[in-house]
Amino acid sequence: MSFSDPAHTPYGSAHTTTSMAPGVRQSNGLAIAALVLGVAAILLFWTVVGGVVLGVLAVIFGIIGARRARAGRAPHKGIAIAGAVLGVLGLIASAVIIAIGASIWNSDEFKSFEDCVRNADSQSERDACERDFERDFNN
């Protein structure tokens, strides 16, 4: 048995190496993370954490992953871009939901509903407030 033969090199010998040769592409974990976060942002856009936070992280990781891939240091440029795009879509959808919620929250109908509920003494009066709010909001 010869120790110069790589098939018969004992574990931990000086012939084993953990560094990669120059020019060898490494994995692109940021691209995969961007895609996973982008999908999560799309699925959870109706929450602030899901749409905004995960969307921003997907965009950041996607841009960094795409730059690494473009420079030839990592694979999966398309996955990185897809993750960034999904992150942007999650951000946009979340921004629309937040804008709709803010407009409802600041509407005169909602303020009237709050006053009505605050002054209601029974459940039937609260139910009447809800019916009035729905009628005012839909008209």
Side-chain angles (χ1 to χ4, degrees):
M1 172 164 81
S2 168
F3 287 113
S4 63
D5 183 12
H8 295 99
T9 304
Y11 296 109
S13 98
H15 294 287
T16 60
T17 179
T18 58
S19 65
M20 298 178 74
V24 174
R25 292 168 44 163
Q26 299 174 357
S27 67
N28 196 351
L30 290 175
I32 304 299
L35 184 63
V36 169
L37 291 170
V39 169
I42 289 292
L43 294 175
L44 300 171
F45 74 92
W46 49 273
T47 65
V48 173
V49 172
V52 177
V53 175
L54 296 178
V56 167
L57 289 174
V59 170
I60 292 170
F61 290 167
I63 290 171
I64 294 171
R67 284 186 177 179
R68 285 185 180 175
R70 186 178 57 197
R73 296 185 316 233
H76 308 304
K77 180 179 179 184
I79 291 174
I81 293 171
V85 168
L86 290 174
V88 168
L89 293 175
L91 277 169
I92 291 170
S94 188
V96 169
I97 293 295
I98 290 170
I100 290 170
S103 69
I104 291 172
W105 187 267
N106 291 325
S107 69
D108 292 334
E109 291 86 2
F110 188 75
K111 290 176 183 170
S112 298
F113 173 71
E114 279 184 316
D115 290 339
C116 182
V117 169
R118 193 176 308 119
N119 295 325
D121 294 327
S122 67
Q123 185 62 40
S124 62
E125 289 177 355
R126 288 186 197 99
D127 292 340
C129 293
E130 184 178 343
R131 284 190 302 274
D132 291 344
F133 174 71
E134 288 176 10
R135 186 190 67 237
D136 291 344
F137 189 74
N138 290 329
N139 290 331

